[in-house]
Amino acid sequence: ENYLDDIENTKTRFFDFICCNRAVPIKKTYNLLQYILEFCKNKTYKVCFIIIEQTGNSYNEYYKQVLHLWRNNFNKNICLIDTHQLKSNNSVYKGFTSSELSNFYKSSKIYMHSCEEEGGCRTINEAICCGCKILAKDKMKGGSLDYINDNNGMLYNNSNYLIKMNEILYSYSTYVYDYNIFKNLNSKFTIDKLLKLLYHNFNYKESLNYTDFKEKCNTGDLEFSFPAHNLSVPWYITGELVSDIKTEEQLNIFRNYI
């Protein structure tokens, strides 16, 4: 596949590490930046550290603390990108389009994640799809570790992060990309799987063939509507922390949306 050429390229990636998070306490962005700064001190490692815009001011003070840490420990080899300073392009990545963000992943060797509580982590899955190896917390709850294995990642904790950062970076030169995981995660394949599931389970086959059903479905912005942290979707239940579909009523709303 032509689009796999730059994904499978493990030889000419510019950044050693990439991090991509909203600056909020649950993501432990401050701690992650501390790890990166310590690892890069007196070294020439190159890091891309992306702060995704957080809508509203709920975590404004935490965001300021992250920037204060950066300014007090400036390192010319760390490229910090604050998307609060960019014009928003969509509801998830804010200042980046999907293709722009993927270019940063594809230019990086290791994606490092610090959150310990995730339902399913979009950025981990994106980084895997773009050919990064993953360094994630060993105490992470949720489904975010489902696709991390001995080939494509390592786990770390607050005591051994420097050791693990060195180990996974050293291992990248022999990394062999697993196309099967790509097929399980990338929207080129997963949207079709979802539509087939809906087509059969909601008995659309009684009135439509699958090709016609697929053409009628609204999938243009599905990748931005489906993440659980998007609370603007019509199936979100007021007062819930996330918009995960858990009830039949929500499922029916989603069905109408599609």
Side-chain angles (χ1 to χ4, degrees):
E1 302 274 357
N2 291 334
Y3 56 80
L4 286 178
D5 290 346
D6 52 353
I7 295 175
E8 294 178 330
N9 173 25
T10 61
K11 305 300 180 184
T12 59
R13 296 189 171 225
F14 180 79
F15 293 109
D16 296 301
F17 286 86
I18 183 170
C19 310
C20 183
N21 272 322
R22 290 175 290 126
V24 294
I26 194 170
K27 297 293 185 181
K28 298 188 181 297
T29 314
Y30 187 93
N31 303 83
L32 182 58
L33 183 55
Q34 285 181 314
Y35 299 154
I36 292 294
L37 288 168
E38 183 177 358
F39 185 73
C40 294
K41 190 175 183 180
N42 302 320
K43 301 289 196 316
T44 57
Y45 298 120
K46 295 180 175 62
V47 178
C48 179
F49 198 97
I50 300 173
I51 299 175
I52 297 294
E53 180 184 345
Q54 169 67 29
T55 303
N57 296 316
S58 302
Y59 300 98
N60 195 40
E61 198 57 42
Y62 188 85
Y63 162 69
K64 290 179 180 178
Q65 289 172 9
V66 173
L67 291 186
H68 183 72
L69 174 65
W70 162 247
R71 289 165 182 155
N72 284 350
N73 298 274
F74 176 78
N75 185 317
K76 65 180 181 180
N77 292 318
I78 301 174
C79 174
L80 187 141
I81 302 172
D82 180 5
T83 67
H84 291 78
Q85 309 305 317
L86 304 177
K87 181 180 178 181
S88 291
N89 288 301
N90 56 64
S91 61
V92 177
Y93 305 122
K94 305 297 184 180
F96 287 130
T97 63
S98 301
S99 59
E100 287 170 342
L101 183 57
S102 71
N103 286 334
F104 284 101
Y105 286 129
K106 292 172 187 175
S107 300
S108 307
K109 298 173 184 175
I110 313 298
Y111 174 75
M112 188 169 181
H113 197 67
S114 55
C115 184
E116 296 177 355
E117 296 182 69
E118 297 269 16
C121 181
R122 165 182 283 270
T123 53
I124 285 179
N125 293 345
E126 289 170 340
I128 290 175
C129 284
C130 291
C132 300
K133 293 190 75 168
I134 308 300
L135 185 61
K137 279 289 189 72
D138 59 5
K139 292 182 179 180
M140 191 187 301
K141 301 174 183 178
S144 300
L145 302 183
D146 290 352
Y147 292 101
I148 300 177
N149 55 46
D150 292 340
N151 174 55
N152 67 14
M154 291 184 184
L155 304 180
Y156 74 97
N157 56 47
N158 294 334
S159 300
N160 66 4
Y161 57 90
L162 293 177
I163 295 172
K164 292 300 181 180
M165 290 172 78
N166 273 302
E167 286 182 0
I168 195 168
L169 189 57
Y170 178 79
S171 74
Y172 194 79
S173 61
T174 58
Y175 179 38
V176 178
Y177 188 74
D178 185 353
Y179 180 59
N180 290 320
I181 290 184
F182 179 87
K183 290 193 291 186
N184 283 329
L185 293 173
N186 190 272
S187 59
K188 293 178 183 291
F189 304 94
T190 55
I191 287 180
D192 193 55
K193 289 181 181 178
L194 173 63
L195 294 183
K196 286 179 178 177
L197 185 66
L198 295 173
Y199 177 73
H200 291 291
N201 283 277
F202 286 124
N203 295 319
Y204 282 107
K205 58 186 177 181
E206 295 179 359
S207 56
L208 287 171
N209 63 50
Y210 179 69
T211 301
D212 291 338
F213 168 78
K214 186 175 181 180
E215 288 180 355
K216 292 178 181 293
C217 286
N218 169 29
T219 60
D221 63 348
L222 187 58
E223 65 176 305
F224 299 121
S225 298
F226 217 34
H229 60 258
N230 184 354
L231 307 185
S232 65
V233 293
W235 56 87
Y236 168 65
I237 298 176
T238 302
E240 292 288 331
L241 293 176
V242 294
S243 61
D244 285 331
I245 297 175
K246 302 176 182 178
T247 68
E248 186 172 348
E249 180 183 0
Q250 286 178 290
L251 185 59
N252 286 329
I253 295 173
F254 177 70
R255 173 187 177 184
N256 293 330
Y257 172 88
I258 283 289

